[in-house]
């Protein structure tokens, strides 16, 4: 048997969202898939893969997963960054997929086997005011979810990222040639959020895990103030409470609140979150398989985190494909300090384009037992949905200046 790579193809499709998929083929016909989706910059990663990485893969031994990771990371002068790490991550996941298929085993078995039977998942609930938010949360709990991220509107604003005035479901990215610009008011948010979330907790009781995302928009002082004010709401976590590029900022937040902190969905390497982990400035690290170098590198991040009692909780919105979610679930099933997996869900069309073995039931996800990652790609169907520009909104303060996110 030979495992030389003879093909590396980049497939871009947009069945309601843009997805970038790497298809790697060996000379004995085994195909592996990796997700390289980077929302709002999808074509940059597609070009990076097609023009710079795919030619390097031809002729390489697909069995040498770690060596290929090191080759792609160390072999380029320019390291790290979201485009590079998304490309490397796609290759890594595709090679793990091939390895599992070649050996006839699901990837989690190759990672040491399961340490749990299933992976806890959380989804999103939204409502402009508390009554609508409560209805949305109850809808999710009726679907079996035991953990729910709750996002609400802000008094005096017309739009808020992650919340739709008219519907309980929302699509984060808007189609178009440029991002929508929204107005943001931090003071109004800080006044209203604690009351809404505490009110929600009073209605749903103590057992439901409630999460909330501040979307990087606060200064360290504001973040500390919010964390302290949210302690009565007994959150499972407060996410992205301040931009974490300034990692020392989390020290101030830590000193003033006991609310668990989750950070890292925009991080791409272990070095991005090293200080946050080793100084125990966070409780959950949110690096995503498709944005942080694939299975191989995310495992390294979580292994470092385990030493400091920080738990893995990967990013998993609708703009990472079912390939990435499947890979993340294999990591989750085999990683001791894996806490929870974000699962927004997908449009039914996405499930058709990416048939998969992973499944959701009763608040939990499982990767399935198909060899490899267990996610395929219907290329004929994917070809019917070409790329369309889509961007997350950006926000400006009332004076017209840009927010940090």
């Amino acid at each position: 048997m030979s495992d030389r790579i003879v093909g590396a193809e980049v497939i871009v499709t947009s069945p309601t969202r843009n997805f970038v998929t790497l298809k790697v083929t060996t000379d004995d016909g085994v195909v592996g898939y990796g997700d390289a989706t980077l929302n709002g910059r999808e074509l940059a990663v597609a070009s990076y893969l097609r023009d710079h990485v795919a030619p390097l893969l031809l002729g390489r031994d697909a069995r040498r997963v770690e060596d290929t990771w090191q080759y792609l990371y160390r072999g380029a002068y320019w390291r790290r960054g979201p485009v590079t790490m998304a490309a490397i991550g796609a290759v890594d996941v595709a090679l793990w997929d091939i390895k599992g298929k070649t050996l006839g085993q699901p990837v989690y078995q190759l990672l040491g086997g399961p340490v749990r039977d299933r992976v806890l998942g959380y989804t999103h609930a939204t409502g402009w005011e508390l009554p609508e938010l409560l209805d949305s949360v109850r809808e999710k709990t009726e679907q079996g979810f035991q953990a729910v991220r709750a996002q609400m509107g802000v008094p005096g604003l017309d739009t808020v990222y992650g919340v739709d005035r008219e519907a309980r479901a929302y699509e984060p990215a808007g189609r178009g040639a440029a991002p929508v610009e929204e107005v943001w008011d931090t003071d109004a948010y800080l006044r209203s959020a604690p009351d809404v979330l505490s009110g929600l907790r009073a209605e749903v009781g103590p057992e439901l895990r409630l999460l909330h995302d501040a979307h990087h928009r606060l200064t360290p002082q504001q973040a500390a103030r919010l964390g302290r004010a949210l302690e009565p709401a007994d959150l499972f976590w407060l996410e992205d409470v301040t931009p974490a590029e300034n990692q020392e900022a989390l020290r101030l937040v830590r000193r003033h609140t006991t609310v668990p902190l989750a950070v890292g969905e925009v991080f791409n390497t272990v070095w991005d979150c090293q200080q946050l982990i080793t100084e125990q400035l966070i409780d959950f690290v949110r690096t995503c398989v498709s944005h942080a170098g694939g299975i191989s590198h995310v495992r390294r991040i979580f292994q470092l985190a385990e030493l400091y009692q920080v738990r893995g909780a990967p990013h998993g919105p609708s703009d990472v494909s079912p390939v990435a979610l499947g890979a993340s679930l294999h990591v989750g099933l085999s990683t001791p300090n894996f806490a929870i997996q974000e699962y927004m869900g997908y449009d039914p069309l996405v499930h058709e384009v990416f048939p998969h073995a992973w499944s959701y039931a009763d608040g939990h996800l499982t990767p399935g037992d198909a060899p490899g990652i267990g996610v395929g790609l219907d290329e004929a169907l994917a070809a019917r949905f070409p790329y369309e520009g889509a961007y997350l909104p950006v926000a400006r303060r009332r004076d017209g200046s840009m927010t940090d996110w």
Side-chain angles (χ1 to χ4, degrees):
M1 181 187 300
S2 175
D3 288 295
R4 295 290 167 185
I5 296 172
V6 297
E9 180 184 358
V10 180
I11 300 167
V12 180
T13 183
S14 189
T16 69
R17 289 300 297 264
N18 292 315
F19 299 112
V20 179
T21 306
L22 176 67
K23 175 185 177 183
V24 177
T25 306
T26 68
D27 58 3
D28 55 2
V30 180
V31 172
Y33 294 106
D35 179 36
T37 306
L38 189 65
N39 71 70
R41 297 296 184 268
E42 297 93 349
L43 298 184
V45 188
S47 174
Y48 190 106
L49 280 168
R50 187 181 295 116
D51 299 331
H52 300 290
V53 173
L56 303 179
L57 298 177
L58 301 181
R60 292 189 63 84
D61 187 343
R63 295 171 296 186
R64 301 185 66 165
V65 180
E66 181 63 29
D67 182 64
T68 300
W69 195 98
Q70 298 292 338
Y71 172 72
L72 293 176
Y73 182 82
R74 299 178 187 277
Y77 183 78
W78 302 106
R79 299 182 181 181
R80 301 164 68 175
V83 174
T84 293
M85 298 308 291
I88 293 175
V91 174
D92 185 76
V93 170
L95 296 187
W96 277 109
D97 194 19
I98 288 171
K99 185 178 287 289
K101 290 173 179 174
T102 300
L103 298 175
Q105 293 290 325
V107 165
Y108 71 81
Q109 292 289 10
L110 309 182
L111 303 178
V115 297
R116 56 180 54 83
D117 298 324
R118 52 188 186 163
V119 173
L120 179 66
Y122 79 88
T123 194
H124 297 190
T126 66
W128 196 259
E129 296 183 351
L130 178 56
E132 293 87 356
L133 178 58
L134 181 59
D135 287 345
S136 180
V137 169
R138 285 174 172 161
E139 179 182 281
K140 301 306 180 183
T141 58
E142 288 170 2
Q143 296 169 6
F145 283 100
Q146 300 167 28
V148 179
R149 194 189 83 170
Q151 303 295 125
M152 71 296 291
V154 175
L157 299 183
D158 295 324
T159 58
V160 172
Y161 171 66
V163 185
D164 190 316
R165 273 185 177 273
E166 307 301 328
R168 290 199 289 268
Y170 76 99
E171 171 51 59
R175 298 286 192 185
V180 171
E181 295 193 7
E182 299 179 341
V183 175
W184 176 250
D185 188 329
T186 298
D187 292 335
Y189 167 71
L190 290 174
R191 287 192 298 268
S192 63
D195 288 342
V196 173
L197 291 169
S198 295
L200 179 62
R201 171 59 73 196
E203 291 289 340
V204 302
E207 294 187 2
L208 180 66
R209 299 169 180 89
L210 287 177
L211 303 76
H212 180 67
D213 191 346
H215 290 125
H216 313 268
R217 289 179 173 172
L218 307 180
T219 67
Q221 186 276 336
Q222 292 166 342
R225 172 185 162 193
L226 178 65
R228 178 174 288 182
L230 286 175
E231 287 179 6
D234 188 24
L235 295 182
F236 183 78
W237 79 37
L238 178 58
E239 181 182 348
D240 289 336
V241 72
T242 191
E245 291 88 343
N246 175 15
Q247 300 198 357
E248 292 187 2
L250 272 296
R251 291 178 182 167
L252 175 65
V253 183
R254 264 291 199 232
R255 284 198 297 267
H256 290 278
T257 182
T258 59
V259 170
L261 302 175
V263 167
E265 71 180 50
V266 298
F267 290 168
N268 313 119
T269 70
V270 68
W271 297 280
D272 295 333
C273 42
Q274 179 181 7
Q275 180 181 1
L276 295 179
I277 290 172
T278 59
E279 295 188 19
Q280 295 177 302
L281 299 178
I282 59 174
D283 301 280
F284 301 91
V285 60
R286 304 256 301 125
T287 44
C288 172
V289 164
S290 59
H291 300 151
I295 289 171
S296 297
H297 196 66
V298 165
R299 289 186 79 210
R300 281 193 277 274
I301 294 171
F302 291 171
Q303 285 163 355
L304 174 66
E306 184 179 12
L307 300 179
Y308 296 91
Q309 297 173 299
V310 175
R311 293 185 284 173
H315 188 49
S318 57
D319 56 30
V320 299
S321 88
V323 176
L325 180 60
S328 193
L329 293 176
H330 284 277
V331 173
L333 207 68
S334 57
T335 300
N337 62 319
F338 194 102
I340 196 167
Q341 173 65 56
E342 182 177 17
Y343 179 53
M344 277 186 66
Y346 297 101
D347 186 273
L349 182 57
V350 177
H351 292 285
E352 292 183 42
V353 173
F354 294 95
H356 51 79
W358 59 258
S359 61
Y360 164 80
D362 299 325
H364 293 79
L365 298 115
T366 54
D369 289 320
I373 298 298
V375 183
L377 176 64
D378 185 331
E379 294 187 41
L381 184 57
R384 292 170 48 190
F385 304 101
Y387 170 85
E388 296 182 53
Y391 298 91
L392 300 180
V394 297
R396 294 183 182 273
R397 301 179 185 90
R398 290 191 180 277
D399 67 1
S401 63
M402 296 289 295
T403 64
D404 289 307
W405 184 86

